[in-house]
Amino acid sequence: EAGVTQSPTHLIKTRGQQATLRCSPISGHTSVYWYQQALGLGLQFLLWYDEGEERNRGNFPPRFSGRQFPNYSSELNVNALELEDSALYLCASSPLPFRTGEKYEQFFGPGTRLTVL
Amino acid sequence: LAKTTQPISMDSYEGQEVNITCSHNNIATNDYITWYQQFPSQGPRFIIQGYKTKVTNEVASLFIPADRKSSTLSLPRVSLSDTAVYYCLVGEPGGYQKVTFGTGTKLQVIP
């Protein structure tokens, strides 16, 4: 079974530009999560999509946005890039709904390394 | 959302048992406790999940006391390949809650 895939692997942009990151979840998973991991820091929750809708959002400015497509793949857009946006962006997927007693697990992709110069 | 506290780092020799404790004093009734492992430049990987008492799988054990205000991840006989960051998460699986990974515990296994 194919895991979560992300593209591109690396992305280099300059300040003020826009970046688009893509994620394909595991087949059958309807939920997609986006996280930002700056160097040496933990994972910061960005966005959660399920069934095409944004379900929750972390403490990030509106220039971080995204969407989920009918095939459950997802896109993260970062507008007006700033130097501090340089980080590893991780996508995870999970099946829903969760049933009491079942293991609930998020499956992570390899990430996209975004560098803002 | 339950806040978790873990040690920032730990060192252990190969072959030893390692116990990493996570504090979560304001855990809610519906919250589960989940641990993930992350190697550098990779996404985290699920290790184990539990609600109460003890859970064991092929890689780790999770001990949760009756009050559920803390939990301990136990890794038996660690090897160099267990060097990673370990995250403790507390939250309602599948619910509309943000799941916060925090900064985790960096485990360094020494030969």
Side-chain angles (χ1 to χ4, degrees):
Chain A
E1 180 183 285
V4 176
T5 59
Q6 292 186 244
S7 64
T9 305
H10 294 90
L11 189 58
I12 300 175
K13 294 284 186 177
T14 56
R15 280 171 51 186
Q17 286 189 313
Q18 178 199 43
T20 299
L21 289 64
R22 296 179 177 84
C23 171
S24 292
I26 291 173
S27 177
H29 288 188
T30 61
S31 253
V32 171
Y33 305 78
W34 286 96
Y35 294 86
Q36 180 196 66
Q37 187 172 35
L39 193 62
L41 299 180
L43 280 75
Q44 304 296 314
F45 168 77
L46 263 167
L47 290 159
W48 173 16
Y49 290 95
D50 183 62
E51 295 286 0
E53 293 189 15
E54 183 180 302
R55 298 295 189 180
N56 216 334
R57 183 183 181 85
N59 295 323
F60 282 84
R63 58 190 186 83
F64 286 84
S65 65
R67 53 180 172 167
Q68 187 178 33
F69 299 100
N71 66 354
Y72 302 117
S73 67
S74 178
E75 200 173 83
L76 174 68
N77 294 294
V78 188
N79 294 319
L81 285 165
E82 301 178 2
L83 296 178
E84 52 265 34
D85 296 334
S86 294
L88 180 68
Y89 288 83
L90 291 159
C91 170
S93 74
S94 69
L96 273 182
F98 169 77
R99 295 180 181 81
T100 302
E102 285 185 354
K103 181 179 69 174
Y104 178 78
E105 177 179 353
Q106 289 182 318
F107 296 81
F108 284 82
T112 293
R113 173 73 62 187
L114 173 63
T115 301
V116 182
L117 302 175
Chain B
L1 185 69
K3 177 176 161 51
T4 60
T5 303
Q6 307 175 230
I8 294 174
S9 64
M10 295 179 69
D11 291 337
S12 176
Y13 288 102
E14 270 193 296
Q16 288 190 326
E17 178 185 73
V18 171
N19 295 310
I20 306 175
T21 297
C22 179
S23 297
H24 28 82
N25 290 320
N26 60 339
I27 188 169
T29 303
N30 294 334
D31 287 344
Y32 279 66
I33 300 154
T34 311
W35 287 80
Y36 282 78
Q37 174 193 56
Q38 186 182 27
F39 298 111
S41 297
Q42 293 185 25
R45 184 175 69 107
F46 176 97
I47 300 175
I48 198 165
Q49 183 178 77
Y51 183 81
K52 61 181 179 181
T53 63
K54 177 183 174 182
V55 179
T56 298
N57 62 22
E58 62 277 7
V59 298
S61 294
L62 178 59
F63 298 92
I64 305 168
D67 66 6
R68 304 201 325 126
K69 293 184 184 300
S70 66
S71 58
T72 299
L73 173 72
S74 181
L75 304 171
R77 297 181 297 283
V78 294
S79 64
L80 296 177
S81 62
D82 293 318
T83 294
V85 178
Y86 293 82
Y87 295 96
C88 164
L89 280 71
V90 173
E92 183 176 340
Y96 297 102
Q97 305 288 334
K98 299 176 197 176
V99 178
T100 302
F101 275 71
T103 53
T105 297
K106 183 173 172 54
L107 173 65
Q108 181 70 52
V109 179
I110 306 163

